Short mmCIF file of all heavy atoms in Angstrom, two decimals:
data_model
loop_
_atom_site.label_atom_id
_atom_site.label_comp_id
_atom_site.label_asym_id
_atom_site.label_seq_id
_atom_site.Cartn_x
_atom_site.Cartn_y
_atom_site.Cartn_z
N ALA Y 75 46.54 173.80 130.99
CA ALA Y 75 47.93 173.86 130.51
C ALA Y 75 48.40 175.30 130.32
O ALA Y 75 49.60 175.58 130.37
CB ALA Y 75 48.05 173.10 129.18
N LEU Y 76 47.48 176.21 130.11
CA LEU Y 76 47.87 177.61 129.93
C LEU Y 76 48.56 178.11 131.21
O LEU Y 76 48.17 177.74 132.31
CB LEU Y 76 46.65 178.49 129.64
CG LEU Y 76 45.87 178.18 128.35
CD1 LEU Y 76 44.72 179.19 128.19
CD2 LEU Y 76 46.78 178.21 127.13
N THR Y 77 49.53 178.97 131.03
CA THR Y 77 50.22 179.52 132.19
C THR Y 77 49.27 180.41 132.98
O THR Y 77 48.24 180.87 132.45
CB THR Y 77 51.41 180.38 131.74
OG1 THR Y 77 50.90 181.45 130.94
CG2 THR Y 77 52.43 179.57 130.96
N TYR Y 78 49.65 180.69 134.21
CA TYR Y 78 48.85 181.60 135.04
C TYR Y 78 48.64 182.93 134.32
O TYR Y 78 47.53 183.47 134.32
CB TYR Y 78 49.56 181.84 136.38
CG TYR Y 78 48.90 182.93 137.18
CD1 TYR Y 78 47.77 182.66 137.95
CD2 TYR Y 78 49.38 184.23 137.13
CE1 TYR Y 78 47.14 183.67 138.65
CE2 TYR Y 78 48.76 185.25 137.84
CZ TYR Y 78 47.63 184.96 138.60
OH TYR Y 78 47.01 185.97 139.28
N ASP Y 79 49.70 183.44 133.69
CA ASP Y 79 49.60 184.76 133.04
C ASP Y 79 48.61 184.77 131.88
O ASP Y 79 48.08 185.82 131.52
CB ASP Y 79 50.98 185.21 132.54
CG ASP Y 79 51.87 185.59 133.70
OD1 ASP Y 79 51.34 185.83 134.80
OD2 ASP Y 79 53.10 185.62 133.51
N ARG Y 80 48.37 183.62 131.27
CA ARG Y 80 47.37 183.55 130.19
C ARG Y 80 45.98 183.25 130.74
O ARG Y 80 44.97 183.73 130.23
CB ARG Y 80 47.76 182.47 129.17
CG ARG Y 80 48.95 182.87 128.31
CD ARG Y 80 49.23 181.77 127.29
NE ARG Y 80 50.43 182.07 126.51
CZ ARG Y 80 50.44 182.78 125.40
NH1 ARG Y 80 49.33 183.28 124.94
NH2 ARG Y 80 51.56 182.99 124.75
N LEU Y 81 45.96 182.41 131.79
CA LEU Y 81 44.67 181.95 132.32
C LEU Y 81 43.96 183.05 133.13
O LEU Y 81 42.75 183.25 132.99
CB LEU Y 81 44.93 180.72 133.21
CG LEU Y 81 43.86 179.64 133.35
CD1 LEU Y 81 43.17 179.32 132.05
CD2 LEU Y 81 44.49 178.39 133.95
N ALA Y 82 44.72 183.77 133.95
CA ALA Y 82 44.09 184.77 134.83
C ALA Y 82 43.30 185.82 134.05
O ALA Y 82 42.15 186.12 134.41
CB ALA Y 82 45.16 185.42 135.73
N PRO Y 83 43.85 186.41 132.96
CA PRO Y 83 43.05 187.41 132.22
C PRO Y 83 41.77 186.82 131.62
O PRO Y 83 40.76 187.52 131.49
CB PRO Y 83 43.99 187.88 131.11
CG PRO Y 83 45.36 187.50 131.54
CD PRO Y 83 45.21 186.30 132.43
N ILE Y 84 41.80 185.53 131.27
CA ILE Y 84 40.59 184.90 130.73
C ILE Y 84 39.53 184.79 131.82
O ILE Y 84 38.35 185.11 131.61
CB ILE Y 84 40.91 183.51 130.12
CG1 ILE Y 84 41.83 183.67 128.91
CG2 ILE Y 84 39.62 182.77 129.73
CD1 ILE Y 84 42.35 182.36 128.34
N LEU Y 85 39.95 184.38 133.02
CA LEU Y 85 38.99 184.27 134.13
C LEU Y 85 38.44 185.66 134.49
O LEU Y 85 37.25 185.81 134.78
CB LEU Y 85 39.64 183.62 135.35
CG LEU Y 85 40.18 182.20 135.18
CD1 LEU Y 85 40.53 181.59 136.53
CD2 LEU Y 85 39.21 181.28 134.45
N GLU Y 86 39.31 186.66 134.44
CA GLU Y 86 38.83 188.04 134.72
C GLU Y 86 37.78 188.45 133.69
O GLU Y 86 36.77 189.08 134.01
CB GLU Y 86 40.01 189.01 134.71
CG GLU Y 86 40.84 188.93 135.98
CD GLU Y 86 42.22 189.58 135.85
OE1 GLU Y 86 42.53 190.13 134.77
OE2 GLU Y 86 42.98 189.50 136.82
N MET Y 87 38.03 188.08 132.43
CA MET Y 87 37.08 188.45 131.37
C MET Y 87 35.74 187.72 131.57
O MET Y 87 34.67 188.30 131.38
CB MET Y 87 37.68 188.09 130.00
CG MET Y 87 37.09 188.88 128.86
SD MET Y 87 37.55 188.24 127.24
CE MET Y 87 39.28 188.55 127.20
N ILE Y 88 35.81 186.45 131.99
CA ILE Y 88 34.57 185.70 132.26
C ILE Y 88 33.76 186.43 133.34
O ILE Y 88 32.56 186.64 133.20
CB ILE Y 88 34.91 184.26 132.73
CG1 ILE Y 88 35.49 183.45 131.57
CG2 ILE Y 88 33.65 183.56 133.27
CD1 ILE Y 88 36.02 182.07 131.98
N ASN Y 89 34.44 186.85 134.40
CA ASN Y 89 33.74 187.53 135.50
C ASN Y 89 33.17 188.88 135.07
O ASN Y 89 32.14 189.32 135.57
CB ASN Y 89 34.69 187.70 136.70
CG ASN Y 89 34.94 186.39 137.40
OD1 ASN Y 89 34.01 185.70 137.79
ND2 ASN Y 89 36.19 186.00 137.53
N ARG Y 90 33.86 189.50 134.11
CA ARG Y 90 33.39 190.82 133.63
C ARG Y 90 32.09 190.66 132.83
O ARG Y 90 31.14 191.39 133.02
CB ARG Y 90 34.49 191.46 132.78
CG ARG Y 90 34.35 192.93 132.65
CD ARG Y 90 35.64 193.65 132.25
NE ARG Y 90 36.18 193.23 130.97
CZ ARG Y 90 37.34 192.61 130.84
NH1 ARG Y 90 38.09 192.34 131.89
NH2 ARG Y 90 37.79 192.26 129.64
N TYR Y 91 32.07 189.66 131.94
CA TYR Y 91 30.88 189.49 131.08
C TYR Y 91 29.76 188.72 131.77
O TYR Y 91 28.59 188.89 131.41
CB TYR Y 91 31.28 188.77 129.78
CG TYR Y 91 31.93 189.71 128.79
CD1 TYR Y 91 33.30 189.75 128.65
CD2 TYR Y 91 31.15 190.58 128.03
CE1 TYR Y 91 33.90 190.63 127.75
CE2 TYR Y 91 31.74 191.47 127.14
CZ TYR Y 91 33.12 191.49 127.00
OH TYR Y 91 33.69 192.37 126.12
N LEU Y 92 30.13 187.85 132.72
CA LEU Y 92 29.13 187.05 133.43
C LEU Y 92 29.31 187.31 134.93
O LEU Y 92 29.90 186.51 135.66
CB LEU Y 92 29.31 185.56 133.10
CG LEU Y 92 29.19 185.19 131.62
CD1 LEU Y 92 29.63 183.76 131.37
CD2 LEU Y 92 27.78 185.41 131.10
N PRO Y 93 28.81 188.45 135.43
CA PRO Y 93 29.11 188.89 136.79
C PRO Y 93 28.56 187.99 137.89
O PRO Y 93 28.97 188.10 139.05
CB PRO Y 93 28.49 190.29 136.86
CG PRO Y 93 27.55 190.39 135.72
CD PRO Y 93 28.00 189.43 134.67
#
Side-chain angles (χ1 to χ4, degrees):
L76 298 182
T77 61
Y78 171 82
D79 288 341
R80 288 183 184 272
L81 210 40
I84 295 173
L85 299 191
E86 283 164 2
M87 203 191 293
I88 291 172
N89 288 306
R90 201 159 60 245
Y91 281 100
L92 301 170

